[in-house]
């Protein structure tokens, strides 16, 4: 079994890890380009949310600018200005060189407190999802590293390091069910560093591909009720709307929140809307939506249709009434 990162490498890495906060919660991220103040995190950490700030250990919060995001890759780049002082860029390693049983270290803010590091082994998925339930509101990741850390939501977006203190993954996660115990947990998974490195330059240059600025959850996803409370929607109301939609055979994606000044907000898409079709294609899960969005060029217009749920900021509309919106995507 390979060694852990040296104390010096680990200390340097911990200094580069930040907490990413917004108006509904918190996750983690890390500085990968200290000279330009660039921070990598997951798109799901900031999806549809405003009021982005980053907090380094022992330092006050700093406003962060969202440069680029791709919800279907679950990656985002933030910028802080001026760049953080005394922090070195966390280098990337080659995720293809990881082997089953190699020791890796996961860094982040698991409980919105001090950074925490935990040594884990790359050992395959710790928990298996039941059917497609865990994937309804998450992308189909092209390259994942499975590890055995006990994941908490605050760790999402944080780095996974190899023995040399290099980033080999970025923690992401889906709610899955342990078939042996029936308990629900966040899967211990990370987007591979090689996949992330291929996407980050475009995001740093301002690409908003696949991210009109909405935070979505599938109508048939059992986690929608919990997420809705984070977005300020009454849990009982959305639970009632979810059941009613399912009873009537209406499937789609709840709009849980819309980011300020985003393409979705400019198109007047509101919290509580339910998206049923995009560009004429029915969408009832996040992978289905990404299948529609991936071929769409920057600057194109999406034709979005759906129904009103009557919850959240959509509460002024009658349940089931139809709505349409033309969402003009960012031009890069």
């Amino acid at each position: 079994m390979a060694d852990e990162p040296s104390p010096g490498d680990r200390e340097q890495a911990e200094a580069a890890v930040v907490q990413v906060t917004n108006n509904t919660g918190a996750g983690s991220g890390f500085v990968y380009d200290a000279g330009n103040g660039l921070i990598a995190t997951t798109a799901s950490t900031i999806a549809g949310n405003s009021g982005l700030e980053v907090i380094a250990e022992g330092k006050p919060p700093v406003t962060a600018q969202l440069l680029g995001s791709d919800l279907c890759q679950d990656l985002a780049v933030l910028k802080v200005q001026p760049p953080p002082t005394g922090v070195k860029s966390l280098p990337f390693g080659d995720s293809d060189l990881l082997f089953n049983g190699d020791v890796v270290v996961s860094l982040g803010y698991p409980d919105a407190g001090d950074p925490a590091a935990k040594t884990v082994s790359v050992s395959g998925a710790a928990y298996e999802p039941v059917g497609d339930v865990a994937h309804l509101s998450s992308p189909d990741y092209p390259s994942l590293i499975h590890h055995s850390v006990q994941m908490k939501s605050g760790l999402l977006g944080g780095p996974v390091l190899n023995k040399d203190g290099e980033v080999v993954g970025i923690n992401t996660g889906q709610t899955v069910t342990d078939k042996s115990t029936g308990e629900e947990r966040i899967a211990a998974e990370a987007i591979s560093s090689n996949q992330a490195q291929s996407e980050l330059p475009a995001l740093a240059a301002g690409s908003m591909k696949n991210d009109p600025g909405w935070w979505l959850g599938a109508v048939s996803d059992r986690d929608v009720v919990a997420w809705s409370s984070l977005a300020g929607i009454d849990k009982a109301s959305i639970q009632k709307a979810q059941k009613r939609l399912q009873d009537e055979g209406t499937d789609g994606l709840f709009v849980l929140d819309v980011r300020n000044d985003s393409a979705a907000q400019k198109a007047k898409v509101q919290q509580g809307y339910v998206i049923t079709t995009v560009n004429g294609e029915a969408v009832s899960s996040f992978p289905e939506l990404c299948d529609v969005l991936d071929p769409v060029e920057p600057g194109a217009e999406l034709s979005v249709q759906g129904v009103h749920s009557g919850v959240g900021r959509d509460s002024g509309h009658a349940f089931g009434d139809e709505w349409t919106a033309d969402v003009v995507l960012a031009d890069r």
Side-chain angles (χ1 to χ4, degrees):
M1 182 173 288
D3 295 331
E4 297 180 28
S6 69
D9 287 341
R10 193 153 166 165
E11 182 178 354
Q12 177 179 321
E14 288 176 351
V17 177
V18 298
Q19 186 179 44
V20 179
T21 67
N22 53 58
N23 57 358
T24 60
S28 296
F30 62 95
V31 177
Y32 75 94
D33 183 344
N36 290 304
L38 301 185
I39 294 169
T41 186
T42 53
S44 52
T45 298
I46 53 90
N49 299 302
S50 304
L52 289 170
E53 293 183 329
V54 299
I55 305 171
E57 184 179 13
K59 298 181 180 179
V62 177
T63 299
Q65 175 190 1
L66 174 62
L67 292 184
S69 173
D70 188 330
L71 287 169
C72 295
Q73 297 289 339
D74 199 16
L75 290 168
V77 172
L78 310 179
K79 182 180 179 70
V80 291
Q81 190 67 36
T85 58
V87 175
K88 295 182 179 179
S89 304
L90 201 48
F92 286 98
D94 187 348
S95 52
D96 288 344
L97 298 181
L98 279 178
F99 292 95
N100 186 48
D102 280 354
V103 173
V104 293
V105 173
S106 179
L107 298 173
Y109 289 71
D111 296 305
D114 293 334
K118 182 166 182 171
T119 302
V120 295
S121 295
V122 178
S123 57
Y127 306 101
E128 296 182 11
V130 177
D132 291 328
V133 172
H135 300 277
L136 291 171
S137 300
S138 302
D140 284 336
Y141 299 99
S143 179
L144 283 175
I145 294 167
H146 300 277
H147 58 71
S148 57
V149 70
Q150 183 177 354
M151 289 294 295
K152 295 184 178 181
S153 60
L155 287 173
L156 302 182
V160 176
L161 310 181
N162 64 11
K163 65 181 179 63
D164 297 316
E166 300 168 327
V167 178
V168 288
I170 301 176
N171 274 322
T172 185
Q174 307 170 79
T175 301
V176 296
T177 301
D178 183 343
K179 290 183 176 180
S180 63
T181 65
E183 294 180 352
E184 291 186 1
R185 306 194 182 193
I186 299 176
E189 298 173 333
I191 302 164
S192 74
S193 60
N194 290 354
Q195 177 65 27
Q197 283 185 279
S198 70
E199 302 291 335
L200 291 179
L203 299 179
S207 173
M208 297 298 293
K209 182 173 174 58
N210 299 324
D211 187 359
W214 50 35
W215 178 19
L216 306 176
V219 167
S220 51
D221 195 328
R222 58 192 172 191
D223 290 325
V224 161
V225 175
W227 294 333
S228 68
S229 63
L230 294 175
I233 304 174
D234 177 67
K235 291 177 67 173
S237 296
I238 198 167
Q239 196 168 27
K240 181 179 179 180
Q242 184 182 29
K243 184 178 186 305
R244 188 174 176 184
L245 287 164
Q246 290 178 303
D247 287 347
E248 295 182 3
T250 300
D251 214 343
L253 295 159
F254 271 112
V255 179
L256 300 174
D257 204 356
V258 178
R259 192 166 58 241
N260 290 341
D261 298 321
S262 65
Q265 187 187 60
K266 291 174 183 176
K268 299 183 179 180
V269 177
Q270 295 187 37
Q271 180 191 68
Y273 281 18
V274 176
I275 298 171
T276 56
T277 66
V278 176
N279 288 351
E281 298 288 335
V283 291
S284 60
S285 68
F286 208 87
E288 287 180 356
L289 175 64
C290 288
D291 285 342
V292 176
L293 292 181
D294 267 333
V296 177
E297 294 295 326
E301 184 176 274
L302 299 176
S303 176
V304 185
Q305 297 83 35
V307 297
H308 292 287
S309 70
V311 301
R313 290 187 287 275
D314 185 33
S315 57
H317 300 278
F319 175 91
D321 285 352
E322 296 182 355
W323 62 270
T324 62
D326 294 323
V327 180
V328 180
L329 299 176
D331 59 5
R332 57 178 177 175

